Amino acid sequence: MQRALFSRSALLAQQTAKNALLLQRLDRSMSSVTIPPPACMLRPLEAPLRYLFGPGPSNVPPRILAVGAKPIIGHMHQEMFEIMNDIKRGIQYAFQTENNMTISMSGSGHTAMECAVFNVVEPGESVLVAINGIWGERVAEIAERMGANVHRMVKTPGGYFSNKEIEQAIAKHKPVLFFLTHGESSAGLCHPVNGIGDICRKHNCLFLVDTVASLGAAPIFMDKQNIDILYTGSQKALNAPPGTAPISFNDRACHKMFNRKTKPVSYLLDMTHLSNYWGCDGKPARAYHHTGPVSGFFALRESLSILAEKGLEESWKKHKEVAGYLYRGLEDLGLKLFIPERELRLPSVTTIAIPDGYDWRELLAYIMKHHNMEMTGGLGPSIGMVMRIGLMGYNCEKTNADMALNALADALKNCKKSKA
């Protein structure tokens, strides 16, 4: 009996020892990493301080940077909902609208662009897109990807569409949606909007407008101009970091959006969910949909607060004055403005024709290297046609215009010019 107990104890001890050895081997195999920590991740982050005088993002004022560093709170906390409510009211002021369905997308301006198209257009429906730069091209592709029947009105960069041309195209193609870029930053054009909303209503068509590059810099009146859907981005004249995108839908757009036969192709951008997340659907409780960019919303609220304190009309006035000051300086340097009609120039982004005999890439590289300053070339169809200078929001100052002009003069003097 005693011998049997001893044998069982010995076997148990032996098995326990084997199990412990097996666990040690397993632990070693699971914890043995083959890829070491990258050296770059063991160094502190360094971000250079540059003058962002391109088409965006623009330099962010210290006040907004400070707000972005505030402690994170839960995206479903009551305090966060109050901040989102403030953002909604700030957007309504900036857009000059009373639309209840006014929110900010969690993402860049492209997110709002896709949200608009995905929610109001169903596969097979007709969409008309005015293309005179890159942003119309993007909307046309987005609409095609989700199955719309896309029709294009096309002009070279810097060209604009008359109301007569727009009405003729709408009457011909009978679209459910017409898209126009108000501030075409790739060409530096601020497109006229008056009367187009009336045309769209006459033909039972929704009017979608992109103001990413123009909001806060050029007048826009969503309600008065009968714009059905309007969106913008945070990183230009609003001066917040990239990553949030205000958008608003009026009742006409909401009727089309919420009476679909099919669900939108994107769950993330589905306004049936986002309208609840932003407290726009009249329901007593907000349900979880996605985790919004808390710090980004802090910064967006502060940027809208700064705009409210300054006043829209004062902001529009200052952008026009600084842009005019820049125009005179560019002409004094012998440079040609790309948009000849002064009233059609986008105040936030000025385009100049590439000076004869110069390599525009070399000019921009020189300015970056010797002046720590970003200016850019064209984008999309305007590549090789223009160089772009952006003075918007916080950067919209005559002293910054002088810095940009001095940098350009230095580049023109020191960069090689071909005989041609």
Side-chain angles (χ1 to χ4, degrees), residues 171-408:
K172 177 181 178 180
H173 299 295
K174 298 177 174 55
V176 299
L177 181 73
F178 171 61
F179 170 84
L180 181 75
T181 309
H182 181 232
E184 181 48 79
S185 58
S186 65
L189 180 84
C190 189
H191 200 289
V193 173
N194 285 339
I196 300 175
D198 299 330
I199 293 169
C200 289
R201 293 199 174 190
K202 176 182 174 183
H203 294 272
N204 195 29
C205 168
L206 295 176
F207 185 26
L208 168 62
V209 177
D210 178 316
T211 64
V212 172
S214 59
L215 189 83
I220 195 81
F221 303 91
M222 185 174 187
D223 289 355
K224 289 181 181 178
Q225 293 173 318
N226 286 332
I227 298 169
D228 298 296
I229 312 166
L230 187 142
Y231 67 85
T232 193
S234 59
Q235 74 277 16
K236 299 191 185 268
L238 287 181
N239 280 144
T244 56
I247 187 169
S248 182
F249 300 81
N250 70 6
D251 289 341
R252 292 180 77 238
C254 287
H255 179 77
K256 176 74 167 69
M257 184 162 58
F258 296 130
N259 288 278
R260 300 172 58 98
K261 297 176 183 177
T262 60
K263 290 184 178 180
V265 295
S266 170
Y267 179 88
L268 179 63
L269 306 182
D270 189 338
M271 281 299 295
T272 59
H273 301 302
L274 290 171
S275 62
N276 174 262
Y277 179 54
W278 278 85
C280 299
D281 63 354
K283 294 182 180 178
R286 303 191 194 190
Y288 167 75
H289 174 249
H290 74 284
T291 303
V294 173
S295 296
F297 286 155
F298 288 173
L300 177 60
R301 185 201 181 280
E302 194 70 7
S303 71
L304 291 166
S305 178
I306 291 173
L307 181 63
E309 291 170 10
K310 174 177 283 190
L312 272 171
E313 291 179 322
E314 180 59 31
S315 183
W316 298 334
K317 178 183 176 183
K318 187 169 186 180
H319 280 84
K320 185 176 181 180
E321 288 177 351
V322 173
Y325 182 82
L326 179 64
Y327 302 157
R328 291 190 293 274
L330 291 169
E331 290 167 345
D332 289 344
L333 290 176
L335 297 170
K336 181 182 177 182
L337 291 158
F338 184 69
I339 304 295
E341 302 93 337
R342 188 184 184 96
E343 67 277 8
L344 295 178
R345 293 172 188 161
L346 181 60
S348 52
V349 181
T350 297
T351 46
I352 55 176
I354 297 169
D356 291 339
Y358 285 96
D359 181 335
W360 61 272
R361 293 181 180 86
E362 185 180 351
L363 289 170
L364 296 176
Y366 182 93
I367 290 169
M368 177 66 82
K369 179 179 179 181
H370 295 279
H371 296 270
N372 200 31
M373 184 183 299
E374 178 193 62
M375 296 180 195
T376 67
L379 187 64
S382 68
I383 292 175
M385 300 176 70
V386 300
M387 297 196 305
R388 299 183 292 164
I389 305 171
L391 297 176
M392 58 192 88
Y394 183 60
N395 287 343
C396 184
E397 298 288 348
K398 290 182 179 179
T399 52
N400 288 336
D402 287 333
M403 290 175 61
L405 292 166
N406 289 335
L408 272 169

Side-chain angles (χ1 to χ4, degrees), residues 159-174:
Y160 69 96
F161 303 88
S162 69
N163 286 14
K164 182 178 179 181
E165 289 175 309
I166 292 170
E167 182 159 21
Q168 287 175 342
I170 290 176
K172 177 181 178 180
H173 299 295
K174 298 177 174 55

